[in-house]
Amino acid sequence: MTSSYEHHDYDVLIIGAGGAGLRAAIEAKQRGLKVGIITKSLLGKAHTVMAEGGMAAAMGNVSAEDNWQVHFRDTMRGGKFLNNNRMAELHAKESPDRVRELEQWGALFDRTKEGKILQRDFGGHRYARLAHVGDRTGLELIRTLQQKVVSMDTDVFMECKVLKLVHDENGRIAGCVAYWRPTGEFVTFSAKAIILATGGAGKSWKFTSNSWEGTGDGHAMALWAGAQLIDMECIQFHPTGMVWPLSVRGLLVTEGVRGDGGVLRNSEGQRFMFNYVAPMFRDETAESEEEGDKWYDDHAAGRRPPELLPRDEVARAINSEVKAGRGTPHGGVYLDIASRRTPEFIRRRLPSMYHQFMELAGVDITSEPMEIGPTCHYIMGGVKVDADSAATLVPGLFAAGECAGGMHGANRLGGNSLSDLVVFGRRAGMGAADYIESGQAATSLDMSEVEEAVQEALAPFDRTEGENPYDIQRDLQEMMQLNVGIIRTAGEIEDAITQLETFTDRVKNIAVKGGRAYNPGWNLATDLPAMLTVCKTVARGASLRKESRGGHTREDFPKADPEFAKFNFAHTTSGGNWDSEIVTVESPLLPMPDELKALLEETK
Amino acid sequence: MADVTMRIWRGDASGGDFENYSVEQNEGEVVLDVIHRIQATEAPDLACRWNCKAGKCGSCAAEINGKPRLMCMTRMDQLPEGPVTVTPMKTFPIIRDLVTDVSFNFEQAKKVPALMPPPMPEGGYIMFQEDVERGQEFRKCIECFMCQDVCHVIRDHEANKLHYSGPRFFIRYAELEMHPLDMNDRRDLVREEMGLGYCNITKCCTEVCPEHIKITDNAIIPLKERVVDAHYDPVAWLGRKIRRKTKTSAADAAVQPAP
Amino acid sequence: MAVTESSTNVVLGGTRGGPDVATLRQDRWWLQPVVTVSVLTAFVIYSTWAAFQNKYYYVGANVHRDLISPFYSPCLASNCVPGSKAGFAFSGWALSPALLILIFPLGFRLTCYYYRRSYYRAFWWSPPACAVSDAHASYTGETRFPLIMQNLHRYFFFAGLIFNTLLTYDAIRAFHQPGLGWGVTVGTIVLLVNAALLWLYSLSCHACRHLCGGQVKSFSKHPIRYRFWKFLTPLNAKHMNFAWASLIFVALTDVYVRLVASGVFSDYKIF
Ligand SMILES: Cc1cc2nc3c(=O)[nH]c(=O)nc-3n(C[C@H](O)[C@H](O)[C@H](O)COP(=O)(O)OP(=O)(O)OC[C@H]3O[C@@H](n4cnc5c(N)ncnc54)[C@H](O)[C@@H]3O)c2cc1C
Ligand code: SF4
Ligand code: SF4
Ligand code: FES
Ligand code: FES
């Protein structure tokens, strides 16, 4: 069967309109290329819009001592040294410029008294480093980039979902196949280079801060296209998600609450974080409540309170408290800012948190503590890329943002993602432009790959008897939460690996009701293959990493093992399909240059 | 908790009607939860837009009991007893069920002449909190387009869509006009092309804004006053005649590339 | 080159979703317009009647008072009752002196952004309430004559300031009671409160907020204007309240003076 589809032709095609995708578009556009952006929701709605706390950049506006070296060190330590050190270096060096240039395009950050960009404290960052706008920094970032992209007259394909990447006959990336959600019609794109900026994959867990978009499409499509995924077992569970009412369980409570003075207490009223300070952080963490409290006003007067340890540490501590029976009625712990700051302060600094609790939970955070617990938030793992150019192993394919791996190692520090987006979004745009200028880009689209993807997407309509995709999604989320959640053991992980095979069969038996136009059931059916691919790599990585490190905690191997700090687990697939066999290898870490090593030593 | 009847408009450009669903409702749930439950059970093809489910992305706007609301921020227990009516936004063409074609708004966004700041000094721009605060209020906008939906200028008079950009974009113009670094002047543009004069300041946009932006008081009226400065104020007009125009006119600005 | 209509990709006439009804609202959206219509109509009827009365607007030296109704101040016609006349007089004016001056406060309120909102909604039904259909088939807003004249609001605001000054002068003068010296009566307090409310109404005006500071791009470069603007902004947020309070109180002030002047009761002296 041959059908003709709507077709578009670009130099650079960007899949994803979050911070990474938009920043990449600006760069490619500035190089004079023809750029198209595809997003499966509307422009401006990508996950980036939800980011709250801020973007990390060592500008030194608040703490003059801050510089890229300290930021680099913090990032590596937060990532438990699993990071791609070149990425961490570029990120630390370039993020101040990337933040400042946003103001040229219209961003309005909160200011210091001297009229510079204000920076706030966040977990794992030694100095106040997060440029922010109240607690809606992601909105500011995405709107600024969006407005810039629009003013540059860039084509944006909204509510258009990419199903699969397509090669040319030489195995280079040549384009992709997608469908319009409003009509259900298919559309093909040819491109000399494609940049993946599809964001995260947290929707496969039951309690998550991610939206329906977080299905890991980019991760999966890259794997199917021949690229490698690394560190997939490292999933960040953010320590503070809402736990009640059930309908908002998982919704994020920004770390800014703790940065601005909020503390964690168990049901006995105890500030339990003091009992969970790991040796690596003892030197710089307060030993008593008095010392911690002094720090908020004057960072020289005391050391940081333990509530501001990296996220993996805090999430694990909360988990242990709840397990030990010291949790709140709804299975969380208390996050208390009401007893520590004035109502005016809280409303001014955390306006959307105030609203979120007031409107959704009926809790006034200026007078009551919040009930919070860990929620699936961010995937450190992603497509393996070259730090400087964001190139993947497949010619013509680039990746940036949350779907790229390596930058954050085993655990991401808060605020490092937004700056990651603009630093590596820009680099991906440059990388793609350089690649095109080198003249090696693909010119033809392998239509048989297109047809295959289309057939697969339409199959659920042909089945009259079959399963409801919503049931599969719900079961998958519950299964992953239970077996590959915050704390993992061999038995559960193996169980997950077996169950994922059953899920594969179930997905092959989905039946979809209704037509193709704006059919969310069908849309979910096309998401599930990517979700399963991602879950499989997560489970495989989790099973192989027999240690605990950052966003991967094994009850049966509670300690970090230096042997495992030498490589990432890298996944590939040979078949190129979502149900093909996945192969996992150990991929050695990038050797660290001596100057960087010295940085880690001297400031330890 | 007791079941609730949801009266949901279902259909597309070829027509449609209300359909009733009787669904279970749990403590603390919002309208979007109930819609999701209908999707997961009775009607998997019920179309609705959503992303964040936290009032941050502005995707899930619809009309609940006749008023534009975010489905994810409307608590079921705060609606009056009885069936809950959910319809798509009225002002925009229908795609399917609760999803409308909001491209009108993206077209308006393309017409906004970008910020034109001076070159950035080493170490970044210096702006003070009082300089950015007015703009920050407008930048809270989550682009739910409910103000555009409720604005009678286009809700009840389709033809005005050709020459009216609507409250969402008036706050954008106000933000740029109040930006301490901006060197552009969009006042004539706003009057001539964007239809500021069509707004009769009846404030429905302000009433529905989920971000509680004082659209009318803080953006539209100040813009109208700026237009008066530029256009209707005889004293200012005379002054300009004498001093000659120094600023770029908005018409030029419209095609000026951003730096 | 400006963006022209033809260069936009806005397509008209797309089919809309939902039922084709004026509104699906079931709450009492009509309440607000009904209240607005009632109060404004009552005011208009009363003030017209009062303005044409051409008597009982001044309480003078014969009862040791100096109270003038705000509807008649400044009293500019040569036929003003003795004692009420402002320094300068139109000779040969035979109608009520109120008619000479009321155009200014009337114009001020008519072009006021808040009243515009209210009467466009309540009287013109454009729209009667949010998400309730506009009652008119076509609509050009404030882009054509006569409504384009609303843009002159700031001039009425300036005129309003002159009136406020005069009425404040009236209020202060009222404390000096002819033949008795300084003292406080209920009437003096009524005049004073009236003047105060009128000041609050004017100061909270949107044109005022713009002219005093709102018009600048950078507040940090204009610290004085920023101070003004900061001061006026919270008042401006209450403009609606001041609009109603001052409107009703102006009428009440006239009622009070009228009742005293016509001898229904006398103005009580407090001290
Ligand atoms: C609630 C919350 C708060 C956060 N707070 C912070 C914070 O304070 N600081 C910080 O640094 N980080 C924060 N993060 C993390 C950060 O926001 C994200 O990691 C980051 O925004 C990801 O950006 P991105 O550009 O990679 O992708 P996203 O913004 O997720 O965008 C993905 C894009 O890809 C598109 N897409 C995906 N799949 C397809 C497909 N198949 N076809 C077409 N398009 C597709 C989507 O439509 C979307 O446009 C937070 C995250 C959440 C959820
Ligand atoms: S105030 Fe103006 S812009 Fe806002 S809804 Fe009314 S007419 Fe539309
Ligand atoms: S101004 Fe308010 S109502 Fe209008 S689009 Fe923005 S957030 Fe929505
Ligand atoms: S889903 Fe994002 S605002 Fe409702
Ligand atoms: S008097 Fe009401 S806005 Fe000026």
Side-chain angles (χ1 to χ4, degrees), chain B residues 150-153 164 167 170 199-205 216 220:
Chain B
V150 82
C151 180
H152 71 115
V153 178
Y164 186 68
F170 295 149
C199 163
N200 66 353
I201 51 170
T202 34
K203 274 198 170 175
C204 289
C205 48
T216 322
I220 296 180

Side-chain angles (χ1 to χ4, degrees), chain C residues 50-256:
Chain C
F52 277 98
Q53 278 296 295
N54 200 4
K55 57 182 178 191
Y56 303 140
Y57 55 81
Y58 183 65
V59 185
N62 52 338
V63 289
H64 309 291
R65 293 290 187 276
D66 184 8
L67 302 173
I68 185 161
S69 155
F71 286 169
Y72 286 78
S73 175
C75 207
L76 294 180
S78 48
N79 62 351
C80 290
V81 298
S84 69
K85 214 176 338 209
F88 147 95
F90 281 109
S91 51
W93 181 262
L95 300 171
S96 161
L99 302 180
L100 274 176
I101 52 155
L102 277 186
I103 177 72
F104 294 102
L106 183 73
F108 186 35
R109 292 202 187 236
L110 217 53
T111 60
C112 160
Y113 287 100
Y114 172 71
Y115 283 107
R116 273 145 76 183
R117 164 192 187 269
S118 301
Y119 62 77
Y120 288 145
R121 276 197 188 194
F123 286 86
W124 198 243
W125 285 31
S126 178
C130 301
V132 178
S133 285
D134 195 325
H136 303 266
S138 72
Y139 174 87
T140 55
E142 300 182 335
T143 58
R144 310 263 160 94
F145 186 81
L147 292 182
I148 201 166
M149 303 306 283
Q150 306 278 31
N151 286 301
L152 297 180
H153 178 57
R154 62 174 63 163
Y155 296 99
F156 286 105
F157 162 73
F158 293 137
L161 291 184
I162 299 176
F163 275 77
N164 291 351
T165 313
L166 293 172
L167 292 180
T168 309
Y169 175 69
D170 288 343
I172 293 170
R173 223 178 52 166
F175 284 92
H176 191 265
Q177 287 131 24
L180 298 176
W182 294 98
V184 178
T185 71
V186 173
T188 60
I189 291 174
V190 168
L191 256 53
L192 195 67
V193 170
N194 182 47
L197 284 173
L198 287 173
W199 275 115
L200 285 171
Y201 174 59
S202 292
L203 286 176
S204 62
C205 163
H206 287 278
C208 172
R209 181 177 180 229
H210 172 76
L211 294 166
C212 287
Q215 71 196 155
V216 306
K217 281 203 168 207
S218 169
F219 279 142
S220 64
K221 295 210 177 80
H222 300 91
I224 311 270
R225 298 181 135 226
Y226 179 54
R227 293 253 293 275
F228 277 131
W229 183 85
K230 272 280 255 209
F231 169 76
L232 292 175
T233 292
L235 289 182
N236 176 258
K238 293 218 153 16
H239 189 57
M240 171 181 95
N241 308 44
F242 296 137
W244 286 117
S246 62
L247 181 86
I248 293 169
F249 210 84
V250 162
L252 290 179
T253 309
D254 181 81
V255 170
Y256 186 85

Side-chain angles (χ1 to χ4, degrees), chain B residues 141-147 168 171 208-211 213 215:
Chain B
C141 168
I142 58 173
E143 299 206 322
C144 63
F145 305 129
M146 295 200 295
C147 54
R168 159 47 187 132
I171 64 172
V208 300
C209 178
E211 287 291 306
I213 300 171
I215 303 174

Side-chain angles (χ1 to χ4, degrees), chain C residues 27-65:
Chain C
D27 54 341
R28 286 181 297 168
W29 58 265
W30 40 264
L31 190 65
Q32 211 190 21
V34 167
V35 171
T36 309
V37 168
S38 319
V39 178
L40 283 182
T41 310
F43 178 83
V44 168
I45 292 173
Y46 175 77
S47 56
T48 311
W49 175 81
F52 277 98
Q53 278 296 295
N54 200 4
K55 57 182 178 191
Y56 303 140
Y57 55 81
Y58 183 65
V59 185
N62 52 338
V63 289
H64 309 291
R65 293 290 187 276

Side-chain angles (χ1 to χ4, degrees), chain B residues 3-58:
Chain B
D3 283 8
V4 58
T5 305
M6 301 295 288
R7 246 179 109 223
I8 299 176
W9 192 86
R10 300 213 52 190
D12 53 26
S14 62
D17 205 349
F18 283 108
E19 231 165 276
N20 286 341
Y21 300 90
S22 175
V23 248
E24 169 195 343
Q25 172 200 338
N26 301 319
E27 188 183 344
E29 282 188 336
V30 292
V31 172
L32 190 59
D33 287 313
V34 177
I35 300 270
H36 280 165
R37 185 161 303 125
I38 296 173
Q39 277 184 338
T41 53
E42 279 177 78
D45 63 337
L46 166 60
C48 87
R49 250 190 210 118
W50 71 284
N51 269 38
C52 67
K53 206 172 168 292
K56 292 196 165 83
C57 73

